[in-house]
Amino acid sequence: MTRKNRFAAAIAIAAGTALLATGCSSGGAADDGNGNGNGKVTMTFWHNSTTGPGKAYWADTVKAFEAKNPNVTIKIQAIQNEDLDGKLQTALNSGDGPDVFLQRGGGKLNAMINAGQLLDIKDSISADAKKSISAGTFSGYDAKDGTYAMPVAVLPEGIWYSKDLFEKAGIDGTPTTMDELNDDIAKLKDSGVDPVAVGAKDAWPAAHWYYNFALRACSEKTLTGAAESLKFDNACWTKAGKDLEAFNDTKPFNKGFLTTAAQQGAGSSAGLLANHKAAMELMGAWDPGVISSLTPDAKPLPDLGWFPFPAVEGGKGDPKSMMGGVDGYSCTAQAPKKACTDFLNFIVEKDNQEGYYKAFQAIPVNQDAQSVVSESYLKSALAAYKDAPFVSQYLDTLYGQNVGNALNTSVVDVLADKGTAKDIVTTTNQAAAKG
């Protein structure tokens, strides 16, 4: 599964009566818009799994749903993750948006809710979904006494690594502090391998390093409060930038990281780890599936491991706190309600969630399906997630599109030696002031 939290913020949705190629839902003349009566309902569905088992999973799942619901047709459009934001916003602004689409929550979700662009599914969530998915997992999509997306996967973040390359470099165990991480990076360099892969070409993967330094530097109150105030004046934001600068000074990243993509091809950051060209990558729990698709045999990396982001001295954040997200799917306000919510309930049924895990190597939200998770790295990530006193959404999602884009870009500037820790704060505050 590819990342995640790069979705358009405020969007305008117009209802259409004709099905367009990218398009709006269309019901039959005798239909009530919900798949009832003798008419037919057609919905469009956008996701970001463009290759491999993930793409096949959605095709098979849609086919199975259509077999159970013969009056409903779902037309799928798979869009490369890094292209999805722009295409989604353009399509929805022109009235040709999908009925169902990948939703990340945070400030972007709130903007859609405030604009009246999403369907409230609270009263349509099945009893089985309510029983098998925790209220805490749903909470990220709750607002104004409603629920605006169905969660499908839990995505705790951490550092994915090659056990073989660690062993080759003489590293015993995994680092728990930044000093230990820096020592391991030196050992990996000596062994002739790039220590850390990062796809800075796409900006957001590089920015995740700053997010995690901010998670360690700032208190939970500061991080969550900024989502309301959009003010980044606390000294912890600058400290996070300085911690990033200090880390960057150790030259930990792969050669050419500023022009490296995140998830496309063997030369991407995920591909470097998949092919043992780099030893580590900081990423969310969709990464194992991406890595698997990029190994030489397109199978899971047998020596893949995971550990949480290390503790950082001098901060106010709890060292067990994590960055993390929940993948989910929303229905637009114009979607046929019954057909759309039936589909959302269908995709979180136990069997479908088990299939989701097998296709994406990601942790399903259905707690009954989590028993099938067998990989030690996913078990470790899930255990840390459950033990975390605080899990923050990825900051570019939490703070909305404008602030998120400014934050991501300014972090890359720091890594390229074109900006400073202070510039991150200044640029972010300027973007927030513009609204």
Side-chain angles (χ1 to χ4, degrees):
M1 176 171 23
T2 51
R3 151 90 149 126
K4 92 188 180 337
N5 309 6
R6 319 281 157 231
F7 299 93
I11 50 178
I13 303 175
T17 56
L19 177 67
L20 302 178
T22 53
C24 300
S25 61
S26 174
D31 188 51
D32 65 359
N34 292 321
N36 300 319
N38 296 322
K40 302 289 186 180
V41 165
T42 299
M43 298 192 299
T44 49
F45 170 41
W46 285 16
H47 64 75
N48 63 347
S49 303
T50 57
T51 61
K55 185 176 183 180
Y57 167 81
W58 282 122
D60 292 343
T61 300
V62 164
K63 184 177 180 179
F65 178 79
E66 290 174 335
K68 289 187 174 183
N69 300 270
N71 277 0
V72 181
T73 299
I74 298 177
K75 297 200 171 184
I76 304 172
Q77 188 162 351
I79 300 173
Q80 174 59 38
N81 183 69
E82 283 70 30
D83 297 334
L84 184 58
D85 291 12
K87 289 188 176 182
L88 180 62
Q89 184 169 7
T90 298
L92 291 172
N93 283 347
S94 66
D96 296 334
D99 294 289
V100 192
F101 63 91
L102 188 60
Q103 174 65 256
R104 298 300 183 178
K108 299 174 182 180
L109 172 73
N110 290 335
M112 295 178 195
I113 294 170
N114 291 337
Q117 296 159 342
L118 298 181
L119 183 66
D120 179 3
I121 67 169
K122 184 175 182 178
D123 295 335
S124 301
I125 298 170
S126 69
D128 181 67
K130 291 178 180 177
K131 180 181 177 181
S132 60
I133 302 171
S134 70
T137 303
F138 271 112
S139 65
Y141 297 129
D142 291 343
K144 297 183 177 181
D145 297 322
T147 302
Y148 293 88
M150 180 69 76
V152 295
V154 178
L155 303 170
E157 181 157 272
I159 298 178
W160 308 88
Y161 75 102
S162 163
K163 294 179 180 179
D164 289 350
L165 292 181
F166 267 45
E167 182 178 357
K168 180 181 177 182
I171 299 171
D172 184 18
T174 54
T176 59
T177 67
M178 284 305 300
D179 285 343
E180 291 176 355
L181 178 61
N182 289 333
D183 287 344
D184 290 345
I185 285 171
K187 292 177 181 178
L188 288 162
K189 286 182 179 179
D190 289 343
S191 73
V193 67
D194 287 338
V196 180
V198 64
K201 177 182 178 181
D202 294 319
W204 60 265
H208 277 228
W209 283 93
Y210 178 80
Y211 302 169
N212 280 273
F213 281 122
L215 183 69
R216 297 287 180 259
C218 301
S219 68
E220 176 182 347
K221 181 179 179 181
T222 297
L223 286 171
T224 57
E228 295 294 330
S229 68
L230 291 183
K231 293 182 179 179
F232 303 88
D233 298 329
N234 191 295
C236 69
W237 297 107
T238 301
K239 172 177 165 41
K242 290 182 176 179
D243 289 338
L244 176 69
E245 287 178 325
F247 183 65
N248 191 43
D249 286 344
T250 69
K251 306 299 180 186
F253 301 124
N254 56 286
K255 299 176 184 66
F257 72 92
L258 292 171
T259 57
T260 297
Q263 300 172 136
Q264 301 177 56
S268 67
S269 56
L272 293 176
L273 180 54
N275 292 278
H276 284 169
K277 302 297 183 182
M280 291 179 275
E281 184 182 26
L282 174 66
M283 196 62 68
W286 61 86
D287 209 29
V290 179
I291 292 168
S292 295
S293 71
L294 299 174
T295 59
D297 59 3
K299 294 181 179 180
L301 189 68
D303 65 315
L304 187 64
W306 179 90
F307 61 89
F309 195 86
V312 182
E313 289 187 1
K316 296 181 179 180
D318 192 302
K320 288 187 176 181
S321 292
M322 300 181 71
M323 280 287 150
V326 176
D327 262 357
Y329 284 85
S330 288
C331 296
T332 64
Q334 304 295 340
K337 183 175 181 179
K338 185 179 186 303
C340 197
T341 54
D342 281 352
F343 179 64
L344 295 185
N345 285 316
F346 181 74
I347 65 178
V348 294
E349 291 177 1
K350 182 174 182 290
D351 289 348
N352 292 324
Q353 279 273 279
E354 289 178 352
Y356 187 95
Y357 152 72
K358 292 173 183 177
F360 291 106
Q361 285 194 281
I363 302 168
V365 293
N366 186 313
Q367 295 172 100
D368 296 329
Q370 288 177 355
S371 61
V372 301
V373 175
S374 60
E375 293 84 358
S376 61
Y377 46 80
L378 288 181
K379 288 183 176 180
S380 296
L382 181 58
Y385 180 84
K386 290 181 176 179
D387 190 46
F390 170 56
V391 179
S392 172
Q393 287 181 314
Y394 307 108
L395 300 188
D396 57 345
T397 296
L398 182 61
Y399 300 142
Q401 185 177 16
N402 290 340
V403 171
N405 287 345
L407 178 60
N408 293 350
T409 300
S410 60
V411 168
V412 173
D413 286 343
V414 168
L415 298 182
D417 297 323
K418 296 180 180 179
T420 66
K422 184 178 178 180
D423 293 332
I424 295 176
V425 176
T426 300
T427 303
T428 304
N429 277 318
Q430 288 174 344
K434 292 178 181 179

